[in-house]
Amino acid sequence: MLKDWKSTVWRAALILAPWLLLLAGWYAIHYSGLINPALVPTPHEVAVRFAELMRGRLPLDILMSTQRVFIGVLCGIVLAVPVGFVLGWYRNIRTFIDPLINFFRALPPIALIPLVIVYFGVDEIAKTVILFYASFFAGVIVMYEGISQISPIYVRVARTLGARDGEIFRKVIIPLAVPHMLTALRVALGVAWATLVASELIAAQQGLGALIQNAGSFFQLDIIYVGIICIGFIALFMDLGLRALGRRFVSWQERIA
Amino acid sequence: MTAKVRIAFDNVSVRFPTTGGSMQVVDDVSYRVHDREFVSVIGPSGCGKTTMMNIVAGFMQPSSGTVMLDGKPIAGPGPDRGVIFQEYGIFPWLTVKENIAFGLNLRANRVGAAEREEICQRYMRLMGLADFAGAWPRMLSGGMRQRLALARAYAVKPQFLLMDEPFGALDAQTRSAMQDLLLHVLAEEGKTVMLITHSVEEAVYLSNRIIVMTARPTRIREIIEVPFAYPRTDALHKTAEFGELRAHVRDLVMQEYAQQARQRSTAST
Ligand SMILES: Nc1ncnc2c1ncn2[C@@H]1O[C@H](COP(=O)(O)OP(=O)(O)O)[C@@H](O)[C@H]1O
Ligand SMILES: [Mg+2]
């Protein structure tokens, strides 16, 4: 009992330590004089600004950005899972499609913005398209690399036990694909948050990216920090949530990284 | 052997396409496996043993000749033939018990919940897995995985058991225990067995007959009747008759390995 409690405290300390170190480093830079302190707002200044913004526009910014990321990732993953699956399962298709996927994946979403504006305008849809693009290509690659590494032995075993095609799909292929779907989703979410600011370059009024860009033009460094930290934490919490989900659904795996 | 013929190889040849034409792997092989017979196939590695088993299992067709199962051509894999693969293929996303129940939940051999439970319990007990019903396969030792593969195959009541070097990855003690367990299980529920092995000792200890294959392209070198009565126990290993037979089979297999080595060295020069 006491031991349990001790190890919990110890774990919490270990988790907190790097964050505290980061904060300490931040203060150190501010007070060291190496950089003009005006260019590095202190953590407590940023915290104050955060509290102030929370009473103002920030909740809506967070909502808008989260919503964009959600829709973009949802559309991206809904397409990436079947496409990645087919590419991973049917090796000969992959030979032809692989270069194409890598071609598009290499294009930075930010470079596509002018084209997206031309074809999709400057509305919500344009931002979603950028996020969709980024999450689709990230997801599809994770998915097909995962699927292509599945050993054919399980399908063979199932056949010798009498499984038909439908049963093999439901009872063998799906369980093997689920961990890769979850990983694809996690990677896509990460990429989508990383692409968010770029997507909100397109005439966004609300959103964390818009907040950062507006603050940038007025040189409000503390607001920029608030925006960045919000993106980081939301992405972190979503990832933690997905990992917990992963542990629940694929507990058979040694670990779901 | 007057029992009826279950598996019949007739003039079976297998060629695999290669970049420079085709490679002959199996060359005009004919033999019969009778009901409830235990036949071992032994030969140099890479000679084509797994290929022959894959034909019986229904994963491929011979290039020429026929393989018949109870007088009928083989249409594909099926639950009448339990296959134990070299790499076991335990489903890692299912627990030990769920692995055993997998076949029982398929349309091909669906049974009621009570019967399914009973079958699972029976084989978990028989294979010493009862304490691990809810365990994930990754926690199991090699010997336990092997027993799980056997339990899973047995659960759907196959008439044939096709085993591809099933004990190859086990240490000597586990291997010997698994051989005795296999004999015990076979004594309870007779099956027609084809075992691929590279262990002469194992082949002599377990089989009614041993088919010694030549180096690739593989032909039948010799078919050896093993005269010892079942049930067999460990004491058999120490008898003079066992030793003589083992020496004879070993000679044949060694000759084929030597032949294979000669072929390889001429091929590489
Ligand atoms: N699907 C295949 N395509 C081409 N060559 C194959 C295929 N399967 C097996 N072979 C070749 O046939 C030979 C015999 O293989 P195998 O039956 O697995 O041997 P064994 O089980 O006796 O060790 C090997 O040289 C192997 O490389
Ligand atoms: Mg083999």
Side-chain angles (χ1 to χ4, degrees):
Chain A
M1 185 68 185
L2 187 69
K3 219 170 161 194
D4 262 18
W5 183 79
K6 262 194 179 158
S7 77
T8 311
V9 171
W10 183 233
R11 253 183 75 81
L14 277 182
I15 290 170
L16 278 180
W19 297 99
L20 294 176
L21 220 62
L22 198 68
L23 272 182
W26 187 348
Y27 274 115
I29 288 171
H30 178 84
Y31 289 113
S32 68
L34 286 173
I35 300 174
N36 181 354
L39 295 182
V40 187
T42 59
H44 58 266
E45 281 164 358
V46 173
V48 167
R49 182 53 64 111
F50 171 78
E52 185 189 309
L53 284 171
M54 273 314 272
R55 290 188 297 271
R57 61 174 291 187
L58 196 54
L60 188 63
D61 287 328
I62 290 176
L63 183 74
M64 288 305 292
S65 288
T66 308
Q67 189 180 314
R68 283 172 190 144
V69 166
F70 248 89
I71 296 173
V73 168
L74 194 72
C75 298
I77 278 297
V78 161
L79 195 65
V81 164
V83 170
F85 177 80
V86 167
L87 292 183
W89 199 255
Y90 303 98
R91 264 148 229 261
N92 20 4
I93 300 184
R94 190 160 96 233
T95 321
F96 305 110
I97 307 291
D98 197 45
L100 200 68
I101 298 245
N102 277 302
F103 171 86
F104 280 107
R105 184 178 68 139
L107 303 179
I110 212 168
L112 301 174
I113 287 181
L115 280 181
V116 169
I117 291 176
V118 169
Y119 298 127
F120 297 96
V122 294
D123 296 333
E124 214 45 44
I125 177 102
K127 301 169 189 75
T128 311
V129 164
I130 294 282
L131 293 173
F132 163 79
Y133 180 92
S135 36
F136 171 76
F137 285 104
V140 93
I141 291 199
V142 172
M143 187 72 190
Y144 89 64
E145 301 219 315
I147 296 290
S148 66
Q149 272 156 31
I150 292 178
S151 161
I153 180 83
Y154 303 118
V155 173
R156 294 182 134 223
V157 168
R159 282 209 194 286
T160 66
L161 290 169
R164 323 251 172 90
D165 286 347
E167 287 171 320
I168 285 178
F169 188 75
R170 270 184 295 117
K171 293 171 180 246
V172 179
I173 295 172
I174 298 257
L176 284 169
V178 165
H180 302 296
M181 281 187 221
L182 280 173
T183 310
L185 185 58
R186 282 182 56 206
V187 171
L189 257 182
V191 169
W193 279 107
T195 314
L196 176 75
V197 178
S199 84
E200 291 181 347
L201 280 172
I202 309 171
Q205 304 301 320
Q206 284 108 22
L208 292 166
L211 175 82
I212 291 171
Q213 283 158 38
N214 291 343
S217 31
F218 296 102
F219 211 68
Q220 295 163 310
L221 287 174
D222 48 355
I223 298 188
I224 296 180
Y225 275 90
V226 168
I228 290 171
I229 292 170
C230 281
I231 291 180
F233 272 115
I234 299 171
L236 174 67
F237 287 132
M238 283 193 174
D239 195 60
L240 287 176
L242 277 180
R243 277 208 230 188
L245 202 72
R247 271 195 298 275
R248 247 187 88 83
F249 283 105
V250 282
S251 49
W252 55 272
Q253 281 201 325
E254 207 117 23
R255 87 203 156 84
I256 190 101
Chain B
M1 184 84 40
T2 50
K4 85 176 212 262
V5 173
R6 302 300 303 271
I7 305 171
F9 275 67
D10 279 293
N11 309 102
V12 170
S13 294
V14 177
R15 280 173 293 275
F16 285 118
T18 56
T19 41
S22 79
M23 174 178 73
Q24 176 128 28
V25 173
V26 181
D27 182 15
D28 195 26
V29 167
S30 304
Y31 61 82
R32 281 163 179 35
V33 180
H34 300 91
D35 193 39
R36 309 235 162 173
E37 196 179 13
F38 193 124
V39 169
S40 289
V41 178
I42 195 164
S45 65
C47 75
K49 304 182 294 293
T50 299
T51 304
M52 288 196 300
M53 198 192 81
N54 278 338
I55 296 173
V56 183
F59 289 118
M60 58 177 288
Q61 301 270 343
S63 312
S64 63
T66 57
V67 179
M68 301 284 220
L69 208 67
D70 292 329
K72 291 187 279 292
I74 296 166
D80 57 328
R81 282 150 290 150
V83 181
I84 307 291
F85 293 90
Q86 220 163 345
E87 60 273 57
Y88 309 158
I90 302 297
F91 301 130
W93 65 93
L94 299 178
T95 62
V96 165
K97 191 174 167 188
E98 289 165 344
N99 262 280
I100 299 175
F102 183 91
L104 301 170
N105 288 318
L106 300 171
R107 242 176 310 158
N109 9 259
R110 181 158 292 159
V111 295
E115 191 183 345
R116 186 173 60 231
E117 179 67 23
E118 191 192 304
I119 295 174
C120 287
Q121 293 300 343
R122 169 172 158 69
Y123 288 111
M124 283 194 294
R125 229 180 308 112
L126 206 55
M127 305 292 178
L129 294 167
D131 294 338
F132 300 91
W136 296 114
R138 65 179 149 85
M139 300 165 178
L140 304 184
S141 68
M144 285 161 75
R145 285 160 181 267
Q146 226 294 310
R147 299 198 299 258
L148 178 53
L150 207 53
R152 181 178 60 185
Y154 256 86
V156 297
K157 301 206 176 352
Q159 300 174 33
F160 300 89
L161 207 53
L162 312 174
M163 304 201 273
D164 191 358
E165 302 191 14
F167 311 134
L170 306 176
D171 62 79
Q173 283 74 25
T174 314
R175 191 181 178 118
S176 153
M178 285 303 304
Q179 290 167 359
D180 285 327
L181 177 62
L182 179 64
L183 286 180
H184 172 71
V185 175
L186 284 170
E188 294 212 345
E189 294 167 41
K191 310 237 182 259
T192 304
V193 185
M194 222 176 116
L195 170 79
I196 288 168
T197 179
H198 53 229
S199 160
V200 174
E201 183 99 22
E202 183 168 285
V204 176
Y205 185 54
L206 296 175
S207 328
N208 294 113
R209 279 193 304 155
I210 301 171
I211 303 180
V212 181
M213 306 299 300
T214 69
R216 203 179 65 219
T218 200
R219 281 169 284 107
I220 292 178
R221 172 70 196 263
E222 196 171 314
I223 297 184
I224 296 150
E225 299 281 341
V226 182
F228 314 122
Y230 297 90
R232 297 177 185 175
T233 61
D234 202 45
L236 180 63
H237 283 111
K238 299 184 194 76
T239 65
E241 293 86 345
F242 187 90
E244 272 166 38
L245 197 56
R246 182 181 52 197
H248 174 60
V249 179
R250 178 163 293 147
D251 275 352
L252 293 173
V253 174
M254 291 316 286
Q255 283 169 24
E256 289 309 322
Y257 265 103
Q259 175 67 23
Q260 184 184 51
R262 271 197 299 281
Q263 281 172 2
R264 292 221 172 127
S265 67
T266 51
S268 63
T269 48

